[in-house]
Amino acid sequence: PPEGPPPPQDDTSTRLVDDADHPFMPAGPNDMRGPCPGLNTLASHGYLPRNGIATPAQVINATMQGFNMEFSLAKFVTYAAFLVDGNPITNLMSIGGKSDLTGEDPPDPATVGGLNTHAVFEGDASMTRADAFFGDNHSFNQTLWDGFVDFSNRFGAGKYNLTVATELRIQRIQDSIATNPQFSFVSPRFITAYAESTFPINFFIDGRQQDGQLDLDAAISFFRDMRYPSGFFRAPKPMGVEGIETIIAAHPIAAGANNGAVNTYTPDPHSGDFNSFCTVYTNFVNETIRGLYPSPTGILKDSLNRNLDFLHEFVSGCPQIFPWGR
Ligand code: HEM
Ligand code: MG
C-alpha cells in the first residue's frame, strides 16, 4: 500500500534553506524539471531527488522544509497532482515529463505523465509558461517573462507584489482568450491559476524581508534558473494562498473556455469555483480522476482509494466521493 503523508514540521520558523546540505546543482540531461518553479528549485537543491522523480511524502516534506508551505495545503496539492500525474502502484511521480523511472504504467487511459501533462492539473494562462496549444507548457518562456517584468515595472515599481499579481492574472487570461482557440479555464485550473499568482509573494520573498515586494532578480532565479537566490531564507511562518481573495475580487471572471476559436470565451456553470469548492472536488474525483481510472481493481484500486482519502482530508466539509465504491 502507498505510504501515508508525513507529519507536519516541528520547527516552522524561518531559516537558511540555501544551506551546505542543499547545494544547487544544475539538472542533468536525464533529470526531470517541469512547469512548477517551486518543485524545480527543490529538486535542483536536493530537497527532492535531483532526478525529479519523487513520492508524495517527499514532495510534501520538501515543500514544507524548503519553502515553509503550510502542511494541509502541501498535502492537498500534492495528492491532487499525484492522483492524475503519478503512478499509484510504485508511488512515484515525475515533476516534469513522462519517465520510465516511475515504473510500469497502470492500464489505459491512465497516463502517469508527470506534471507536464496538460489539462488534468497543469493548465492555461500560466505566468511564465505558455499554453499547451502553443507547443510547450512547461519551459520558462522569455516572452512571458518580459511581460512579468513589464507588469512589475508598471504596477509594482519594479517588484512583483499583490497589485502586480492581480493585474498580471487577468492579463494572462485575456491574452489566452484572444490568442488560444483552445483556451480552457475551468476548475481545477481556475483555482490553481489564482493560487499560483500568490506563490511568488508568499514563498519567493526572503523570510527576513517580508515586505511583500519580490525582487525580480530573486524571481528569475526561481522561475528560470530553478535556484534559490544566494543565502535564501524560507518564509517566516507556514504559508498558503494568502492574498488570493484580493486577486479574485479585483477582476472577477467566470470559469469557462473558448469554443474552438479565439475570443469566444463562454462561462461553464458546470465548473466549480471559489464559491462551490465541493463541486471542484467532486468534479475532480468523478470526472478527472475517474476519466483516467474508469474501473481499477486490486492493488491499483486500493492505492487510489488511499490517496483519495488523503485528498479528502483538506475538504473534509464536503461529502467524500468514492468513485468505485468503498
Ligand atoms: C505552477 C505543481 C508546490 C510555485 C505549478 C504547476 C504545477 C505545480 C503542476 C503548473 C500549473 C500551471 O501553471 O499550468 C505543484 C505541486 C506542488 C507545488 C504538486 C506540491 C505542493 C509549489 C510551491 C511553490 C510553487 C511550494 C512555491 C515555492 C508555483 C508557481 C507556479 C506553479 C509560482 C506558477 C508558474 C507560472 O505560472 O509560470 N505548480 N506545485 N509550487 N507553482 Fe507549483
Ligand atoms: Mg500552465
Side-chain angles (χ1 to χ4, degrees):
E3 65 188 342
Q9 311 179 90
D10 290 330
D11 178 2
T12 57
S13 58
T14 186
R15 64 163 179 254
L16 179 72
V17 285
D18 181 32
D19 64 8
D21 290 341
H22 301 90
F24 173 78
M25 289 168 56
N30 299 319
D31 294 339
M32 290 297 177
R33 298 292 184 269
C36 176
L39 298 183
N40 289 346
T41 299
L42 292 168
S44 296
H45 282 269
Y47 284 95
L48 284 172
R50 292 181 185 271
N51 67 2
I53 310 294
T55 68
Q58 286 174 325
V59 174
I60 295 163
N61 274 328
T63 56
M64 290 193 298
Q65 288 168 13
F67 283 111
N68 224 348
M69 185 178 248
E70 198 259 318
F71 174 62
S72 66
L73 179 70
K75 227 174 29 167
F76 182 66
V77 176
T78 299
Y79 284 107
F82 180 73
L83 276 156
V84 293
D85 288 334
N87 186 323
I89 302 290
T90 62
N91 210 34
L92 292 169
M93 177 173 76
S94 163
I95 66 167
K98 188 165 180 65
S99 166
D100 288 346
L101 296 180
T102 56
E104 192 188 330
D105 284 342
D108 286 348
T111 48
V112 188
L115 292 184
N116 289 1
T117 310
H118 178 57
V120 288
F121 192 96
E122 186 283 324
D124 290 336
S126 304
M127 291 180 288
T128 67
R129 271 67 175 165
D131 289 2
F133 175 78
F134 300 112
D136 180 348
N137 68 349
H138 54 273
S139 306
F140 174 81
N141 181 301
Q142 183 65 46
T143 306
L144 293 177
W145 173 254
D146 293 344
F148 190 105
V149 171
D150 178 47
F151 268 55
S152 299
N153 286 331
R154 279 161 58 190
F155 297 102
K159 312 278 184 181
Y160 182 89
N161 61 23
L162 196 54
T163 307
V164 178
T166 301
E167 297 309 317
L168 185 60
R169 172 70 2 255
I170 191 68
Q171 187 272 338
R172 292 293 300 123
I173 294 165
Q174 287 167 342
D175 184 44
S176 288
I177 290 173
T179 59
N180 176 358
Q182 292 170 17
F183 177 52
S184 174
F185 203 56
V186 294
S187 293
R189 181 58 187 154
F190 184 77
I191 306 290
T192 60
Y194 287 94
E196 289 160 11
S197 289
T198 71
F199 286 177
I201 302 165
N202 297 340
F203 297 113
F204 293 165
I205 297 178
D206 192 287
R208 298 162 298 181
Q209 178 187 334
Q210 290 308 300
D211 56 359
Q213 311 292 320
L214 173 61
D215 187 271
L216 296 185
D217 291 333
I220 200 170
S221 180
F222 290 106
F223 279 107
R224 183 189 64 192
D225 302 338
M226 320 183 198
R227 179 174 193 166
Y228 287 127
S230 181
F232 185 78
F233 276 55
R234 69 177 189 179
K237 62 178 197 298
M239 297 293 288
V241 298
E242 287 82 352
I244 195 170
E245 300 296 342
T246 304
I247 303 177
I248 298 163
H251 304 289
I253 180 167
N258 274 346
N259 287 330
V262 300
N263 296 315
T264 57
Y265 191 78
T266 310
D268 178 357
H270 179 72
S271 169
D273 59 22
F274 293 99
N275 299 314
S276 54
F277 204 76
C278 290
T279 302
V280 175
Y281 159 75
T282 301
N283 289 350
F284 186 69
V285 175
N286 268 339
E287 293 167 22
T288 312
I289 296 174
R290 200 162 60 181
L292 296 167
Y293 297 98
S295 50
T297 57
I299 306 174
L300 178 60
K301 179 177 156 185
D302 293 344
S303 306
L304 288 164
N305 276 334
R306 232 169 104 81
N307 287 309
L308 280 172
D309 286 345
F310 302 142
L311 182 77
H312 181 257
E313 286 171 20
F314 187 81
V315 287
S316 51
C318 305
Q320 187 169 0
I321 304 294
F322 299 95
W324 317 284
R326 306 181 83 128

